[in-house]
Amino acid sequence: MEKFVGVVIGGDMNSYAVARAFYEKYKIKTIILGQYPLFFIDNSKICECYFNDKILEDDVVVEELRKIDEKYPDTKKILFSNVDFYVRLVIYNKERILNISDNFIIPMTSKNMFDELFNKDSFYKLCEKYDLPCPKTVVFDMEKDNEDKFYIPYDFPIFLKPVNSDVYSRMKFKGRQKGYKINSLDEFKSVIKTIRENKYFGKFIIQEYIESLDEDMYVFTFYCSKDYKVQVCTAGKILMHDRSPSLIGNYNAITNFYNEELSLKLKSFLEKIKFNGICHFDVIYDRNRDKYYVLEINVRQGRSNYYTAASGVNLASYIVDDYINNIDKEFTIINNEFVVSIIPKFILKMCLKENKKFIKGKKFFRFCLAKYDLNFKRLFNQIKWDRRIIKSFFKYK
């Protein structure tokens, strides 16, 4: 077998999950290329880390990858990106990276497909075209539309989120949220005014708000081969969200979930649009209508994607078998029990209270505390992270 290594652009918990996948399957380190050290990957024996605070520049990331290729000249390098702006960085520089040498493998979709799926407006149009249920949506253009005159065709509350989360997520200003639950017209005007004052002039999605609990949110992860064949689906039910405003939508604990009908619908969608690579869908269950709605697709593995390995799906091995071993796999929907949590089990039980039933009797995994990668510094930093999560859980409950 050819020598290979995973290379992840970006360095948060998403990257650590990729490193765990490679280590647990192949006992090899993963190369992490990020802006600066984060505790998830710091002091880890399964990560080989390189940092450059200018890594978001096209020329810089290409040059850093060139250095890595020179250090490991006879090794295939499988590229991952851990957040949307790094995904864009790799996809937009795909040809330049592949021209460094034939050692690079980039299991990601095309630039045109990325743009269409990443833009929430065009994604919802694709959902409509291929019969995927999604919330009713209108678009507010910060440059053209006037919040005082704009007609919102839904009752409040509504949900507001940027069409281009890449640019928006890199902005820093007081009150910035990943998405906004808006309870009144006055609040809508106030939020738009704040965003304008902080120089964001893109488009926003306005959706009918679907009232939900943590356990009404789901994530479906797929791997689609280089030949656009969907090979696997594994799904999770969210047990606990991160409550802090800047991280709304990220989850701190997840358990297994199985829905064959919805899995097959999502599989059909991916095959019709000819997608390849890893992706995951965020899905919400509307209790009032007894219906599932697709909220978005991410053209990468999820931030807390170790749940896939806990379910029995090692995404690293799917890519290695596809691109290096040329193994074709039949489609499988995974249905194995697990719980994956960022925080300790006893604290998770305390937070869940009446929903402790979802944990009982299942294999339990700590996301960033692999027993084989434990040391004092990692444990100390994990405890600090646990305290932040618990504090925000009760503050924003």
Side-chain angles (χ1 to χ4, degrees):
M1 180 188 291
E2 292 187 81
K3 290 194 296 183
F4 58 85
V5 65
V7 179
V8 189
I9 313 298
D12 69 1
M13 65 174 64
N14 181 321
S15 306
Y16 189 72
V18 174
R20 286 190 69 170
F22 273 101
Y23 188 80
E24 289 172 6
K25 179 68 177 180
Y26 304 107
K27 295 297 183 288
I28 60 175
K29 285 187 176 183
T30 294
I31 296 172
I32 309 291
L33 181 57
Q35 290 178 279
Y36 38 77
L38 297 172
F39 102 81
F40 310 105
I41 58 171
D42 205 17
N43 300 297
S44 169
K45 74 174 187 180
I46 67 174
C47 302
E48 181 178 332
C49 300
Y50 301 89
F51 302 104
N52 189 320
D53 58 6
K54 296 181 180 178
I55 199 66
L56 280 170
E57 298 177 17
D58 294 351
D59 291 343
V60 174
V61 73
V62 172
E63 181 58 28
E64 291 294 332
L65 289 172
R66 188 187 307 280
K67 292 177 185 176
I68 291 171
D69 189 55
E70 289 173 353
K71 185 173 182 179
Y72 298 96
D74 301 316
T75 304
K76 293 291 185 183
K77 298 149 191 80
I78 304 170
L79 287 194
F80 297 79
S81 297
N82 71 346
V83 291
D84 294 330
F85 47 81
Y86 285 133
V87 175
R88 178 188 292 275
L89 186 68
V90 171
I91 289 177
Y92 273 58
N93 288 282
K94 191 172 186 178
E95 292 305 316
R96 294 183 65 188
I97 296 169
L98 293 176
N99 284 335
I100 294 173
S101 78
D102 59 4
N103 287 325
F104 285 97
I105 295 171
I106 305 179
M108 300 181 190
T109 195
S110 68
K111 176 179 177 295
N112 289 340
M113 179 61 67
F114 170 79
D115 287 340
E116 190 165 17
L117 295 176
F118 184 73
N119 181 296
K120 291 178 176 58
D121 187 19
S122 55
F123 170 63
Y124 288 130
K125 289 175 181 175
L126 272 180
C127 289
E128 186 175 347
K129 179 178 179 180
Y130 293 110
D131 198 30
L132 272 189
C134 58
K136 293 178 181 178
T137 300
V138 292
V139 177
F140 182 88
D141 190 325
M142 297 287 287
E143 287 189 336
K144 299 178 181 178
D145 292 322
N146 184 323
E147 60 271 28
D148 293 319
K149 300 178 180 178
F150 191 82
Y151 174 65
I152 299 174
Y154 319 120
D155 294 333
F156 287 94
I158 58 173
F159 196 73
L160 182 72
K161 58 186 176 182
V163 166
N164 188 333
S165 58
D166 174 11
V167 175
Y168 184 75
S169 65
R170 286 184 262 174
M171 300 186 68
K172 306 287 185 184
F173 60 86
K174 185 177 180 180
R176 189 190 74 83
Q177 297 183 23
K178 186 176 178 181
Y180 301 80
K181 179 185 177 183
I182 307 292
N183 293 299
S184 67
L185 184 59
D186 287 341
E187 185 180 356
F188 170 72
K189 293 177 182 179
S190 176
V191 169
I192 294 296
K193 180 182 178 182
T194 299
I195 295 169
R196 272 211 182 95
E197 287 175 347
N198 286 277
K199 312 300 182 185
Y200 181 81
F201 301 110
K203 295 179 180 179
F204 273 83
I205 291 288
I206 298 174
Q207 291 180 326
E208 54 180 351
Y209 185 79
I210 298 174
E211 200 70 48
S212 65
L213 305 173
D214 276 8
E215 63 265 28
D216 293 328
M217 295 294 299
Y218 304 85
V219 58
F220 286 71
T221 300
F222 291 82
Y223 178 70
C224 309
S225 74
K226 59 181 182 291
D227 299 322
Y228 312 111
K229 180 180 177 182
V230 181
Q231 293 187 345
V232 69
C233 167
T234 183
K237 178 185 183 76
I238 310 307
L239 293 179
M240 177 182 171
H241 279 285
D242 196 311
R243 294 292 203 277
S244 54
S246 62
L247 292 174
I248 287 175
N250 294 317
Y251 48 91
N252 292 325
I254 185 171
T255 189
N256 54 288
F257 179 67
Y258 182 85
N259 185 308
E260 182 178 6
E261 180 183 0
L262 186 51
S263 298
L264 292 174
K265 271 189 177 182
L266 296 170
K267 171 182 180 287
S268 176
F269 173 82
L270 291 169
E271 290 181 338
K272 285 176 181 176
I273 66 174
K274 292 190 177 300
F275 181 86
N276 69 290
I278 299 169
C279 71
H280 76 274
F281 295 88
D282 290 333
V283 174
I284 189 171
Y285 175 65
D286 186 338
R287 292 172 178 248
N288 294 327
R289 301 171 188 169
D290 188 23
K291 187 175 181 178
Y292 293 94
Y293 291 94
V294 175
L295 297 181
E296 64 181 16
I297 183 175
N298 289 288
V299 186
R300 54 174 169 80
Q301 68 279 3
R303 179 175 181 263
S304 308
N305 75 90
Y306 187 72
Y307 95 84
T308 60
S311 76
V313 177
N314 188 305
L315 292 172
S317 70
Y318 269 85
I319 295 173
V320 170
D321 284 345
D322 186 17
Y323 282 84
I324 295 176
N325 300 329
N326 293 306
I327 297 174
D328 188 24
K329 296 182 179 180
E330 293 300 315
F331 175 66
T332 307
I333 304 175
I334 304 299
N335 187 22
N336 297 320
E337 291 191 341
F338 65 86
V339 174
V340 173
S341 175
I342 294 176
I343 58 176
K345 190 174 185 177
F346 77 94
I347 296 179
L348 180 61
K349 285 183 176 180
M350 179 180 69
C351 293
L352 293 181
K353 293 183 180 178
E354 67 272 14
N355 290 323
K356 287 187 287 188
K357 60 184 178 182
F358 292 121
I359 300 177
K360 190 175 181 180
K362 296 181 180 180
K363 290 183 179 180
F364 188 87
F365 301 82
R366 285 296 305 276
F367 189 89
C368 293
L369 281 188
K371 291 181 180 179
Y372 52 78
D373 194 27
L374 197 57
N375 56 55
F376 176 78
K377 287 183 178 179
R378 289 186 61 76
L379 183 59
F380 178 73
N381 287 328
Q382 181 67 60
I383 291 171
K384 288 200 300 183
W385 187 259
D386 292 345
R387 290 182 64 189
R388 185 204 67 81
I389 291 174
I390 302 309
K391 185 177 180 181
S392 68
F393 179 84
F394 289 106
K395 179 178 180 180
Y396 298 107
K397 193 171 180 180

